[in-house]
Amino acid sequence: MSQPTNEGAFFLTVEEDARIRTTVKAQLQQCRDLAGQAREPNDPRSAPGEATSAAFLADLTGGSQDEQTVPNGRPDAMVVVGVGSPYPPCTVSLRDLRPMKLDELRMNTHHRGRVLAVRRDVAVVRLVARSWTVVQEGGMPGHTERLEMYLHQSRHGEDVLEEESMFLVKEPYFTLSDQGEPTLRIDHPSDLVLSTNGFDDETLNLFNEDDNTAPASAAVPFAALGSKTVKQCKDEGNAALKQQALLQAHAKYSEGLRLATKDAAARQDDFANDISRNRAYVNLLLNRLDEAKADALAAVSGLDDQKHKDLDSKALFRAGCAAYNAGLYQEARKSFEEQINLTQGDKDALAMTRKIEMRLHEQVTGQYNFKKLKAALSKTRPRVDAASFDGRTEVRDSPGCGRGLFATHAIAAGEIILCEKAFCVVWGHEKEAWTAISYDVRDDRIRGAPVGLHKAIVQKLLDNPSQVERFMDLYGDYEGVGKKLVMADSRPVIDTFQVRDIVARNAFGVGPVDGDENTANASTGLWVRAAYVNHSCLSNTNKDHVGDLMILRASRPIAAGEEITHSYDESADYDARVAALENTWGFTCTCALCGAERADGAEVRKKRRELADEAEVLMARGTAAAASRLTITKVKRLARGMEGSYNGERYKELPRRALTSVQQWLGHATVR
């Protein structure tokens, strides 16, 4: 099981609730009714005009809302995301897919084993939950279709559909958009291949064949590859980097490296090493740590002259930084030590080795300078520089609860069990943060969904394939493509529906670093190790955060081999707690406390809740220390009534949750 997300409360009227359910169900049914029907050709004159007008309107409004996907189109409303009809991404290589034409599309159909080559014909319409445009087959301007990228339309701040004008759509999914328009819908980023991704010779030959099955548009983006030199690609990459156009710089460097593999002279003239070293720097800026490390190490020449020693030193520093940022401290230390051997006394490398020793100490001992970590936090730097410590825990099967986290040593009350750096956090003040209203047709429930975190994790997995299996091992309702890393065309295949369900079951809410948040931009994160901690209303831990570092401490002594638990919902009201656990996490708690409160019966619980609410009103009038004699007397009377609602024998060793805040208030009350 997972830990709770801080999705916050959002208000829907009865009419809005019904409208969301009705709209999503009707749209799904309409798609089913049209399944298999032949595509109807578009009017080639109207589609581009509609897209251009929509893009103009989106620019005028800042593209901040998608009125078709928010309740009643209110400007302050949250986007609605329909959930529950997942489909897997394409896991097949391009060379094993057969080209197809727009005319072959069938409604509400995944065209398995096929690939479609298209050209973007108009401006991109950017909306909150998606971007869309109109595409056509090359040389056939009368054949146009709407193409939509859903949720994952941007990467590193740039819209995917705007990056290139030529696309390959793997196993096209042709269906209706949320607005009822026939659409080539793309939910998985790996199903859309840009020309900048590059293709091997076999794939190029497939799409450049001069026959009736190869769309004319397919050959266009590749022809220019052979007309450039490696040096031109390097220079163009350097120019883009200077302008901080990171994705463009990466594409140019990648193009240069592909050419360099075929050009012996380029390799001899150090161009390949130079480009690898430069791309390593770009990858560091993009947080593509896997490729940054590989590029940097590939750039090390090993030559003994001073020029190459200096360049190798720079490459090793970048390799060390990539490993350090990934939490691979032993690998990082090796790179920095090799750098120091090349350039004795390098201050930056020496500083990094000192930091590594601190991280390794944290990782082994669980000892942290929390005061220093807290002092370094700010709104612009909400993530701490610290290692994760999990040396007192192990993941294993938990009877009736899947897997859980267990103590490997006896742990005293107040002692640290676990300190973990977040796998991913999106803070409320960051532009990536946003929460949507999620309607899941599988269980007919409406929830808040941390879509910003979902998108950020998909991007991280695409950029760092080494993290995929660690993340996908977490529990989710939808199995998707499985727990193992799947690669196709040298790219990781990420099932975004699988990620969504894992996030829904395993994310935590975290408080804001600075300033206020609201439901639409709540800070949310995911901690992989902590996600294995199961729920108990009688938990044995307390949770705290220092930036993105989660700290779990024992709330009572924990024996070796005992399961570590945390309370997902700490509501004192049984009925509210049961509803939250069932609605958000899909299970019913069977702990002793829930059993006792369930045995109380609805009437007793209702009376207890009324007494607690009345006490809260009185206590809210001021501090306990400043309360009047009359107020204290009334609160005491209510406390006695609440105490009397508990069966003494049944609650002999159980907490009486409804009384906790009242007793704490009375403990601070002073009769004047």
Side-chain angles (χ1 to χ4, degrees), residues 169-365:
V169 184
K170 300 175 70 173
E171 297 190 334
Y173 176 32
F174 190 55
T175 186
L176 294 179
S177 70
D178 292 342
Q179 292 68 48
E181 297 287 338
T183 298
L184 284 162
R185 173 164 170 154
I186 299 171
D187 290 278
H188 307 292
S190 54
D191 286 348
L192 184 72
V193 183
L194 310 183
S195 61
T196 50
N197 291 122
F199 304 103
D200 57 28
D201 290 339
E202 189 172 347
T203 305
L204 288 178
N205 291 336
L206 171 67
F207 286 96
N208 285 330
E209 288 176 354
D210 185 18
D211 61 27
N212 293 329
T213 64
S217 61
V220 177
F222 317 122
L225 267 176
S227 64
K228 287 185 180 179
T229 66
V230 177
K231 183 178 184 305
Q232 284 175 319
C233 292
K234 175 188 172 183
D235 291 343
E236 289 176 359
N238 291 346
L241 178 57
K242 188 175 181 180
Q243 298 297 321
Q244 287 297 295
L246 300 181
L247 293 177
Q248 183 181 354
H250 185 277
K252 296 300 181 183
Y253 289 144
S254 299
E255 187 177 345
L257 285 174
R258 287 195 295 273
L259 292 176
T261 60
K262 306 174 185 178
D263 188 342
R267 294 195 299 273
Q268 187 175 353
D269 291 339
D270 287 339
F271 279 122
N273 284 350
D274 290 345
I275 294 175
S276 291
R277 190 169 52 252
N278 291 355
R279 195 174 72 170
Y281 178 63
V282 171
N283 280 319
L284 277 172
L285 296 177
L286 291 171
N287 207 33
R288 293 175 171 174
L289 304 179
D290 289 0
E291 192 175 69
K293 185 174 62 171
D295 279 346
L297 293 176
V300 177
S301 68
L303 299 176
D304 289 333
D305 61 281
Q306 193 57 48
K307 172 189 172 183
H308 284 94
K309 282 185 176 182
D310 290 342
L311 293 174
D312 287 354
S313 175
K314 184 183 292 188
L316 287 166
F317 183 81
R318 291 172 182 173
C321 287
Y324 182 90
N325 292 346
L328 303 173
Y329 301 116
Q330 295 287 7
E331 286 189 34
R333 180 163 62 181
K334 179 181 178 182
S335 291
F336 289 122
E337 287 175 349
E338 289 182 15
Q339 181 191 3
I340 291 170
N341 288 335
L342 290 177
T343 52
Q344 296 293 327
D346 187 281
K347 293 182 179 179
D348 292 333
L350 289 170
M352 289 302 298
T353 57
R354 289 192 292 270
K355 290 176 66 175
I356 288 170
E357 294 309 313
M358 294 169 61
R359 301 293 84 79
L360 290 172
H361 179 73
E362 294 164 349
Q363 197 173 64
V364 172
T365 67

Side-chain angles (χ1 to χ4, degrees), residues 439-513:
Y439 173 52
D440 195 331
V441 297
R442 292 172 296 185
D443 59 10
D444 196 33
R445 294 186 185 276
I446 294 178
R447 306 176 175 93
V451 181
L453 177 65
H454 173 200
K455 291 179 63 176
I457 288 177
V458 168
Q459 188 62 63
K460 178 170 182 172
L461 297 177
L462 288 168
D463 290 342
N464 297 279
S466 66
Q467 299 297 315
V468 169
E469 294 186 7
R470 177 180 171 223
F471 174 83
M472 293 299 185
D473 189 54
L474 296 177
Y475 173 78
D477 297 300
Y478 173 63
E479 293 184 3
V481 296
K483 298 180 181 296
K484 297 296 184 182
L485 172 64
V486 177
M487 299 289 291
D489 303 309
S490 302
R491 302 170 67 204
V493 175
I494 305 301
D495 190 323
T496 60
F497 299 117
Q498 188 177 358
V499 173
R500 182 264 167 205
D501 274 10
I502 290 175
V503 169
R505 295 301 192 198
N506 296 277
F508 293 83
V510 287
V513 174

Side-chain angles (χ1 to χ4, degrees), residues 136-156:
Q136 67 170 353
E137 291 176 345
M140 304 181 73
H143 291 247
T144 62
E145 197 52 76
R146 175 186 168 117
L147 183 144
E148 175 179 286
M149 190 81 175
Y150 196 65
L151 284 186
H152 306 282
Q153 71 271 31
S154 61
R155 60 174 187 169
H156 301 293

